[in-house]
Amino acid sequence: MPIRQELHSPNVPVRIWTDDIDEGSKAQLANIASLPFVHHHVAAMPDVHLGIGATIGSVIATHQAIIPAAVGVDIGCGMVAARLSLTANDIDEKRLRKVFDQITRDVPVGRAQHDDNRVLVEAVRPFEPGLKALTERHPQLLKTFGKFSRWANQMGTLGGGNHFIEVCLDEANQVWVMLHSGSRGIGNAIASYFIELARKDMARHMIQLPDRDLAYFREGSEYFADYVEAVHWAQAYAMANRQAMLDLVLAGLARHLPAFSVTTEAVNCHHNYVAREHHFGADVWVTRKGAIRAGQGDLGIVPGSMGACSYIVRGKGNPESFCSSAHGAGRRMSRTAATKRFTEADLARQTEGVICRKDKGVVDEIPGAYKDIDEVMANQRDLTEILHTLKQVVCVKG
Ligand code: 5GP
Ligand code: MN
Ligand code: MN
C-alpha cells in the first residue's frame, strides 16, 4: 500500500505509510516537520510509534543540521543475518538446546561483558585511536561510563531489552542466524553526552523548540564536526559488534551441528543512524530512527517478535520514503502494560516451538506486545520486496 496519510504543516508535510498511528506520534511528527532545516517532507514508516523527541519509524532529511536525539541513544542499533548451508534435517531439538546453551555461554547478554577481550582483539583494534582522540577533546564524554577499557570488553556483547540472537528456518527450510544489537554502553555514553551539549547550544543561542528533545547541531557550529565523527565511530563499532557476535555464534554452532559454510554475504544493517545521502535534488543528512535503508537492491532485515516471522527484504528504492522502510513490527504496548496484561503461560503459548526463556523476566517481550509484522509488510509493498521469510527455532534474549 502506498502512502496512507499526509499531515500538512506550515513547513514540510509528513507522509505516513499506515493508518495505525496514534495522536501522540502525529504530534511528534508535526513537531519535526516544523523545524526549518527539514528537507522536502518527513516520512513515517508502517511501524511508526512514539519515541523520545523523534518518532520511532521516522526518516528525517535535514540541511546542514543533525538532531542527536533523533539518531537516538543506541547509535547504530541494527541487525545482522547470514544463511548457512544447513537445512531443517540437520537440526533437532536436542542439538538446538545445546546451541541455545552454547550461545548463552559465549555471548554476554544484559549488563554482562567479556572478562577479557583477547578473542576479539582484532575487532577492537581499529576503534582505539578514534575513541582516544575523541575523549582527549571531550574528557567529559566518559564521565558516567566508568573505566575506559570497558568499551573494548563490550565488543561482542548483546546488551539488554529486545536485543536478541536467533537461529531461524526460512521458507525453503534453510538455516539462518540473525541478531539484533547496537553500540552498547559506549554508544549510549556518546549519544547522551552530545544530546546534552545540543541542549546547551539551544539555550545559549536562545533557540525555541517545539520539544526539548529536538535540540540540534548546526553545520559549522562548535560541536557539529565532533558529533559527526563520534556518531560515525559508534555506527562502525555497532556494525563490528554485530559481526563479532555473529562470528562467536557461528563458532558455537559448529560445535553442535554438522560442518557448514555461510552461503550469503551477511546482511548487516543499521536502523538507528545518520548518513549523508542525495534526495530530491539535494545532499542532505538522513536520520533513520527505527528505519532501514531500502535503496534499489539494498538488502535489509525486518524482524517481527520472539514468536513471529522476520523478513529478509530487498529495497525498491522508493524516493518518497527517502529509500527507506520499516525496521520491525513496532510495539503495540509498553513493557509495563505487557507485564500487567500477559502471564508466563501466555508467553509459553505465544512462543510455542521456540527454544527460548519463557519466564516472568521476558513477559514484557511477548509477541502480543508487538504489532502484526504481516500488516507492516503489507503496508510497505511499495518500499521492499520480500526475499526470505524466517521463523526462529532458537531465541536468546538480551
Ligand atoms: P527496536 O530496534 O526499535 O528496539 O526494535 C526492533 C524490532 O525487533 C521490534 O520492533 C520488533 O518488531 C522486533 N523484535 C523484538 N524482539 C524480537 C525477537 O525476540 N525476535 C525477533 N525476530 N524480532 C524481535
Ligand atoms: Mn538497540
Ligand atoms: Mn534496534
Side-chain angles (χ1 to χ4, degrees), residues 1-2 4 17-21 45-48 302-304 308-309 311 326 328-330 332 370-384 386:
M1 209 60 63
R4 293 295 194 93
W17 267 258
T18 179
D19 287 325
D20 183 11
I21 179 170
M45 301 295 100
D47 58 337
V48 63
V302 188
C309 290
Y311 295 92
R332 189 198 298 282
Y370 287 94
K371 292 189 195 169
D372 181 353
I373 186 68
D374 293 309
E375 245 163 66
V376 168
M377 298 312 288
N379 279 333
Q380 63 168 27
R381 281 196 293 257
D382 59 334
L383 306 181
T384 58
I386 294 172

Side-chain angles (χ1 to χ4, degrees), residues 75-325:
I75 301 169
C77 189
M79 301 276 312
V80 67
R83 187 175 63 189
L84 313 184
S85 62
L86 295 174
T87 68
N89 297 329
D90 301 310
I91 55 176
D92 55 47
E93 191 174 335
K94 204 166 140 220
R95 280 177 160 167
L96 289 178
R97 289 205 178 273
K98 286 188 178 156
V99 163
F100 178 91
D101 293 340
Q102 189 74 46
I103 295 172
T104 308
R105 275 195 296 276
D106 293 345
V107 183
V109 305
R111 289 171 182 280
Q113 59 182 43
H114 291 285
D115 304 329
D116 165 346
N117 55 47
R118 258 177 307 181
V119 233
L120 298 172
V121 71
E122 292 303 321
V124 163
R125 189 179 292 128
F127 292 95
E128 176 131 25
L131 189 62
K132 273 230 161 85
L134 269 169
T135 51
E136 273 162 22
R137 290 203 300 283
H138 297 273
Q140 294 294 302
L141 205 156
L142 298 181
K143 73 172 182 274
T144 56
F145 183 69
K147 250 173 77 191
F148 179 80
S149 61
R150 196 156 76 93
W151 71 272
N153 295 57
Q154 284 185 345
M155 175 67 83
T157 69
L158 191 64
N162 64 353
H163 293 159
F164 60 84
I165 301 171
E166 289 183 343
V167 178
C168 305
L169 287 175
D170 73 8
E171 69 293 337
N173 273 331
Q174 210 67 45
V175 176
W176 289 70
V177 173
M178 169 170 93
L179 64 92
H180 171 216
S181 185
S183 53
R184 309 291 297 102
I186 187 63
N188 188 296
I190 289 172
S192 309
Y193 172 77
F194 280 100
I195 289 169
E196 192 52 40
L197 275 187
R199 271 193 195 140
K200 286 186 182 147
D201 240 23
M202 297 290 102
R204 202 158 43 142
H205 296 106
M206 292 187 292
I207 294 170
Q208 298 289 325
L209 292 168
D211 178 338
R212 69 196 287 263
D213 289 313
L214 293 175
Y216 56 85
F217 294 120
R218 270 283 188 192
E219 226 166 293
S221 69
E222 191 175 353
Y223 306 116
F224 185 87
D226 282 351
Y227 176 67
V228 169
E229 189 179 318
V231 95
H232 282 128
W233 185 93
Q235 286 173 188
Y237 176 95
M239 194 160 270
N241 179 37
R242 288 192 289 273
Q243 183 63 51
M245 276 185 278
L246 180 63
D247 292 345
L248 289 173
V249 172
L250 293 178
L253 257 58
R255 297 174 65 158
H256 303 286
L257 302 181
F260 64 84
S261 58
V262 175
T263 58
T264 48
E265 260 312 291
V267 184
N268 193 341
C269 62
H270 297 313
H271 54 226
N272 281 355
Y273 73 114
V274 62
R276 193 83 183 144
E277 295 180 10
H278 192 83
H279 294 278
F280 297 101
D283 287 323
V284 286
W285 294 102
V286 177
T287 300
R288 294 192 176 87
K289 169 147 183 145
I292 58 172
R293 190 175 150 85
Q296 177 84 50
D298 289 339
L299 297 185
I301 308 166
V302 188
S305 73
M306 67 191 291
C309 290
S310 299
Y311 295 92
I312 306 292
V313 298
R314 180 155 56 207
K316 291 190 171 175
N318 189 333
E320 292 294 326
S321 70
F322 300 94
C323 295
S324 313
S325 97

